[in-house]
Amino acid sequence: QQQVKQSPQSLIVQKGGISIINCAYENTAFDYFPWYQQFPGKGPALLIAIRPDVSEKKEGRFTISFNKSAKQFSLHIMDSQPGDSATYFCAASGKLTFGEGTQLTVNP
Amino acid sequence: EAGVAQSPRYKIIEKRQSVAFWCNPISGHATLYWYQQILGQGPKLLIQFQNNGVVDDSQLPKDRFSAERLKGVDSTLKIQPAKLEDSAVYLCASSLARLTEAFFGQGTRLTVV
C-alpha cells in the first residue's frame, strides 16, 4: 500500500553541493510531513517537518518545500557534507507512512 | 531524557519458532508505533497505539503477529510462527501525541533461518 513515493533511490553529490530528494503523496487527509535521517544500525531520527499550511520551512542547511496542490514535497540539503551521507526517508501523517528511502552519498 | 529502549538487539530463530520483542517508550509518550523495516526498504507500519488502545493495525499480519501495550506504557510484539520473510529490523517509536515528532529505538534485527 504505497501512499508515499520517494525519488531518487540513490543520490551522489560532491561536498558543498545541493542534494534534492522528492516525495509525492496520495492521501489529501495527510497533515504532517516529516523527513527522517537514518544511519546504518540506527533507528530513523527526525530531521525537519512541515505542516500543509506553509509552503517552505528552513532549519540550518535543510529546507522543505511543500506544494499542496501537486501533493508533492521535497528536501533540499545545502552545502552537503560527507557527514550527511545516510538514508533519508520522507513520511506523511495521518498514520506515519514512510517512503522507500534515498541513499545519499556525499563525496569529499 | 532517556530514549526509546528496545530488546533484544539481535535475534536468530528457526522458521516456525516464536519470538517476542519488547519496547519501553519515552516516559509520557501516549503514541507508540511498531514498524517492520526490510533491508533496503522504508519502515512499514505494523501497529499504532494511542495509550493502550489500537489506532491502526491494518498492515499487521494477524494470523501470526500480535502486539499489546501494557497499561499504556511498555509494549511487546510477538511473531508465532515465524517465516523466512519475517527477517527484518523491527523498530519501535513513540511520540507525545499524533502529528508530533516520533522518536525511534535502535531496533531489533531478526533473522529467520
Side-chain angles (χ1 to χ4, degrees):
Chain A
Q1 189 183 8
Q2 181 65 20
Q3 294 191 24
V4 180
K5 295 183 180 180
Q6 184 172 345
S7 63
Q9 277 189 315
S10 62
L11 180 61
I12 301 174
V13 300
Q14 292 300 118
K15 178 181 176 181
I18 302 174
S19 304
I20 302 174
I21 305 171
N22 301 298
C23 276
Y25 62 97
E26 298 171 0
N27 191 336
T28 55
F30 287 153
D31 52 3
Y32 174 66
F33 302 90
W35 284 90
Y36 281 81
Q37 179 188 56
Q38 186 176 32
F39 293 102
K42 303 291 186 183
L46 181 69
L47 200 58
I48 186 172
I50 197 168
R51 297 185 192 273
D53 53 344
V54 297
S55 59
E56 186 174 282
K57 183 175 181 180
K58 183 176 181 179
E59 290 184 359
R61 296 186 293 110
F62 302 93
T63 300
I64 298 179
S65 296
F66 186 81
N67 186 328
K68 188 174 181 178
S69 60
K71 294 188 288 184
Q72 295 176 348
F73 58 111
S74 61
L75 175 69
H76 295 231
I77 305 174
M78 310 300 289
D79 187 26
S80 298
Q81 299 296 313
D84 296 332
S85 297
T87 302
Y88 293 80
F89 295 97
C90 61
S93 250
K95 52 185 180 181
L96 193 56
T97 302
F98 282 78
E100 288 298 296
T102 297
Q103 187 161 351
L104 172 66
T105 302
V106 182
N107 289 327
Chain B
E1 178 182 77
V4 176
Q6 288 188 247
S7 67
R9 285 280 283 130
Y10 305 93
K11 190 74 176 180
I12 301 174
I13 63 172
E14 295 182 350
K15 60 182 179 183
R16 291 187 291 273
Q17 285 187 325
S18 63
V19 64
F21 313 126
W22 174 81
C23 173
N24 179 234
I26 293 173
S27 178
H29 281 197
T31 306
L32 186 145
Y33 310 84
W34 281 103
Y35 285 88
Q36 179 193 60
Q37 186 174 25
I38 293 172
L39 186 64
Q41 297 183 16
K44 171 188 165 185
L45 180 65
L46 293 175
I47 190 166
Q48 178 183 344
F49 292 95
Q50 184 69 23
N51 295 308
N52 58 352
V54 176
V55 173
D56 187 282
D57 63 356
S58 57
Q59 297 192 88
L60 186 73
K62 298 180 186 67
D63 58 334
R64 298 185 301 107
F65 286 64
S66 64
E68 61 178 0
R69 189 175 184 191
L70 304 173
K71 299 180 181 179
V73 182
D74 290 5
S75 179
T76 55
L77 176 69
K78 296 179 182 178
I79 307 175
Q80 183 179 10
K83 294 185 176 181
L84 295 176
E85 58 260 37
D86 298 333
S87 295
V89 174
Y90 291 83
L91 294 162
C92 178
S94 70
S95 62
L96 271 173
R98 184 180 168 276
L99 305 187
T100 62
E101 180 178 358
F103 294 83
F104 282 80
Q106 290 200 86
T108 297
R109 182 176 295 277
L110 173 67
T111 302
V112 182
V113 297

